[in-house]
Amino acid sequence: MTYRVTGKWIARPAASAALRYGLAFASIAAALGLAHTFLYFHLPQPFAAFALSAIAITFWYGGTKPGIVAAALASIIRYTHWSEVSAVSRVLYDVVFVIFALLMVGVNRARSELEVRVAQRTAELTRANEDLSLEIAERKRAEEKLRQSEAYLAEAQKLTHTGSWVWEVAGRCALHLSEEWYRIYGFDPEEGMPAWDKRLQRIHPDDRAKWQQAIDQAISEKSDYEVEFRLLLPDGKVRHLHTVGHPVLDASGNLVQFVGSSTDITERKQAEEALRQAQSDLAHVSRVTTMGELTASLAHEVNQPIAAAITDANTCLRWLNRDHPDVEEAREAASRMVKDATRAAEIVSRTRLLFKKGTPQWELVDINEIIREMVALMRSEVTRYSISVRTELAEDIPQLTGDRVQLQQVLMNLMINAIDAMKDGDGTRELAVKSQRAENEQLMVSISDTGVGLPPQQADQIFNAFFTTKPHGTGMGLRISRSIIESHGGRLWAADNSPRGASFHLTLPVEAEAHE
Amino acid sequence: MATQAKAKLVAIVDDDELMRGALQGLLKAVGLPSRAFASAEEFLKSGQQHQTACLIADIRMPGMSGLELQAQLNAEHCRIPTIFITAHGDTKMRLQALRAGAVEFMAKPFDDEVLLENVRAALDS
């Protein structure tokens, strides 16, 4: 049942107006009927009591105006039916009816006010209820959204193998660890957040100091930190982790927490390792192929000191086999023999090193020494094609960090290319190898020839894989050379040489560069 | 005596220092005077070619090769009995050298007895 609220009053339904006034007449008629019934049975005459009840009923159900009508009717009826009553009692009855009517007007007014108030309160409650349900629905939506967002985040963390965390600096305890974090560290989320010590134990013993140092530094400097380290899980599995942390400061600038993420980079590390191994294998194959081309020259190069050694040994015997052995001359021949054999051994070991297969060995190397070694190794090859070699090596060149064998390979490739470019040509055949300091802590090595020059219109392509101008070339030499130089943090490029031929230049940083 | 000694000079032309040392040492052990040159050009420039009774030369050298040296000497009408010592000589090269007046064509490592026989033969001729 609803009421239309208009000011303080409530308009009762219009349709009931006739009924309400009808109620006045009907109730008074009923009171009259009852009074006559009482009279018939000679009971005390109770019209006044019945009339008051009728007036009250009419006021209550019919409203004020019908109530007044009922009171007036009662007064008239009492007057017309019971005229024998004294004038005083007549007035008394009328006064009672009027007071009663006035009281009932007051009751009705109070009731109406109460009804208005109830209606208002009901409306307010309804509104509040509606607001509340809206809010509940909103909250439910938000919760659902949050749950969804958390699910997305967890999925993203799973896909990227990234766990998030927050830890408190003062207590060295975790405040948040994501599901993925637990998976990476191999902890069970059901068992709650692992203690700091337990967490520390999962870090690979060899990397603990590194990790600790990164954290200590970040704490003392209130700075971000980034560290790569390994986990050693109880089942013996090793995981590579990349962690970044960001400091959280309170209002007064005190370090409170670190928030960050840890990414499992094991797969990437393995892929990198496999790639490095593949590159190294490829470089090795290429090197061996190149060395194969040099077999004749290398054999000659070893043969030379051996021939000298045999001759010196025979000479030595001649001096000793004389009737009067000349020990002094014999000693000289013997010491020449030592030199011969040493040279042969050097060539063999130099060659063997190039044939050796293995993972890159990073060490301090002297580029001039490498150049000299490779020039020595190429001696027979250049002689074979009547090529003169000119070396201009700057003596003040600092050492660099690199893989000796791979750098030798690059120089060998470039020198063989230079020789190949010149061996069928006419005119002077000169191979120039130059080393010098370059800008930005770099050194530059240039290998120039007076050969056929770079293929016209294809100068850019010579570094592409499988590009070759040689009948039996693999097309990998320059490609591999460039990747070796780039893995050393340097550059390799080609240019035309003046007045003819080609020049290959390579730069290498003298400072140790990242080579991972 | 002086002219005889001059005529018996053996010249060695080889770019390899160890080889030059070994050959000089061997000739010294058998009492033959020798002079060594690191290149064909050096030998030609020295002017010693006219006093040389026997030439021991490498074929493959930076700059002028042994065969080119032989051709040059022939062109200068300075035919010196020549013994070639080489690590990688093929038959064609050998025939070419012999046709141009070479005494012998030997592969490294060589037999010192055979070399000395050839040198002596060259000096006696």
Side-chain angles (χ1 to χ4, degrees), chain A residues 257-326:
Chain A
Q257 299 169 354
F258 272 99
V259 52
S261 66
S262 299
T263 306
D264 183 349
I265 53 166
T266 312
E267 279 175 28
R268 198 182 81 199
K269 282 274 172 194
Q270 282 166 348
E272 278 172 3
E273 187 46 50
L275 179 64
R276 219 176 1 250
Q277 191 57 51
Q279 274 175 341
S280 160
D281 288 352
L282 183 61
H284 175 252
V285 168
S286 164
R287 205 156 60 227
V288 170
T289 310
T290 311
M291 296 291 283
E293 290 171 29
L294 293 178
T295 310
S297 288
L298 291 175
H300 176 241
E301 201 54 28
V302 182
N303 201 22
Q304 193 91 339
I306 289 174
I310 292 171
T311 304
D312 282 324
N314 281 325
T315 305
C316 185
L317 288 175
R318 277 176 199 279
W319 290 115
L320 294 175
N321 288 343
R322 287 186 167 203
D323 294 339
H324 303 286
D326 190 328

Side-chain angles (χ1 to χ4, degrees), chain A residues 2-15:
Chain A
T2 57
Y3 292 96
R4 192 162 55 85
V5 182
T6 52
K8 286 168 73 178
W9 295 92
I10 294 165
R12 288 167 199 278

Side-chain angles (χ1 to χ4, degrees), chain A residues 328-364:
Chain A
E328 196 47 48
E329 288 288 351
R331 182 179 292 129
E332 246 176 57
S335 50
R336 283 202 301 274
M337 224 179 338
V338 171
K339 269 194 211 162
D340 300 334
T342 307
R343 159 93 85 80
E346 271 170 14
I347 294 160
V348 169
S349 72
R350 209 176 284 155
T351 311
R352 198 175 52 193
L353 212 64
L354 285 166
F355 274 114
K356 213 175 90 181
K357 187 181 172 186
T359 46
Q361 300 270 326
W362 292 77
E363 57 190 335
L364 272 181

Side-chain angles (χ1 to χ4, degrees), chain A residues 24-44:
Chain A
F25 290 96
S27 62
I28 295 302
L32 186 60
L34 272 172
H36 280 289
T37 310
F38 271 55
L39 280 177
Y40 177 79
F41 291 107
H42 307 288
L43 290 167

Side-chain angles (χ1 to χ4, degrees), chain A residues 67-284:
Chain A
I68 291 166
V69 169
L73 271 176
S75 201
I76 294 161
I77 287 168
R78 193 209 45 77
Y79 187 75
T80 51
H81 285 247
W82 288 278
S83 49
E84 75 281 2
V85 181
S86 71
V88 176
S89 68
R90 221 167 44 215
V91 172
L92 199 65
Y93 271 117
D94 287 341
V95 169
V96 167
F97 283 147
V98 168
I99 290 170
F100 189 72
L102 286 174
L103 277 173
M104 282 313 289
V105 168
V107 166
N108 248 16
R109 191 168 284 178
R111 193 186 71 160
S112 293
E113 278 176 13
L114 191 67
E115 277 178 351
V116 167
R117 221 172 292 151
V118 166
Q120 275 178 337
R121 189 60 53 84
T122 307
E124 276 168 23
L125 276 175
T126 311
R127 230 186 351 255
N129 197 31
E130 281 168 3
D131 288 351
L132 198 63
S133 9
L134 276 176
E135 203 180 308
I136 289 171
E138 186 61 40
R139 194 162 294 178
K140 262 189 188 160
R141 253 201 310 276
E143 271 176 15
E144 183 54 34
K145 235 175 164 177
L146 185 66
R147 235 197 319 276
Q148 218 165 42
S149 156
E150 272 184 355
Y152 291 152
L153 183 64
E155 191 61 30
Q157 290 205 351
K158 212 166 161 185
L159 285 172
T160 57
H161 310 302
T162 302
S164 58
W165 47 258
V166 178
W167 58 271
E168 197 181 58
V169 175
R172 291 284 195 282
C173 62
L175 299 176
H176 155 77
L177 297 171
S178 76
E179 213 174 292
E180 188 62 13
W181 186 94
Y182 280 99
R183 196 202 61 77
I184 293 170
Y185 271 75
F187 285 116
D188 185 1
E190 302 287 316
E191 288 170 13
M193 296 194 192
W196 191 260
D197 287 350
K198 269 188 160 181
R199 180 179 174 177
L200 203 66
Q201 274 166 16
R202 295 273 153 114
I203 297 174
H204 198 288
D206 296 349
D207 290 355
R208 257 177 230 168
K210 174 183 171 186
W211 182 84
Q212 191 66 53
Q213 199 211 334
I215 282 184
D216 289 347
Q217 193 183 342
I219 291 174
S220 70
E221 293 175 3
K222 296 181 189 176
S223 62
D224 283 24
Y225 71 88
E226 187 168 355
V227 60
E228 255 184 41
F229 61 97
R230 285 165 300 164
L231 293 181
L232 179 59
L233 301 184
D235 60 4
K237 237 187 235 162
V238 172
R239 287 209 170 113
H240 291 262
L241 247 63
H242 178 250
T243 283
V244 284
H246 179 69
V248 179
L249 309 180
D250 65 10
S252 40
N254 296 317
L255 181 62
V256 189
Q257 299 169 354
F258 272 99
V259 52
S261 66
S262 299
T263 306
D264 183 349
I265 53 166
T266 312
E267 279 175 28
R268 198 182 81 199
K269 282 274 172 194
Q270 282 166 348
E272 278 172 3
E273 187 46 50
L275 179 64
R276 219 176 1 250
Q277 191 57 51
Q279 274 175 341
S280 160
D281 288 352
L282 183 61
H284 175 252

Side-chain angles (χ1 to χ4, degrees), chain A residues 341-399:
Chain A
T342 307
R343 159 93 85 80
E346 271 170 14
I347 294 160
V348 169
S349 72
R350 209 176 284 155
T351 311
R352 198 175 52 193
L353 212 64
L354 285 166
F355 274 114
K356 213 175 90 181
K357 187 181 172 186
T359 46
Q361 300 270 326
W362 292 77
E363 57 190 335
L364 272 181
V365 291
D366 176 353
I367 197 74
N368 284 346
E369 190 189 313
I370 291 181
I371 293 172
R372 276 191 284 267
E373 276 177 6
M374 293 325 287
V375 168
L377 199 67
M378 291 293 157
R379 214 181 60 137
S380 293
E381 190 72 4
V382 295
T383 307
R384 187 169 167 187
Y385 299 109
S386 311
I387 294 165
S388 61
V389 179
R390 183 164 55 86
T391 51
E392 278 176 49
L393 308 181
E395 286 308 320
D396 60 339
I397 284 188
Q399 291 189 317

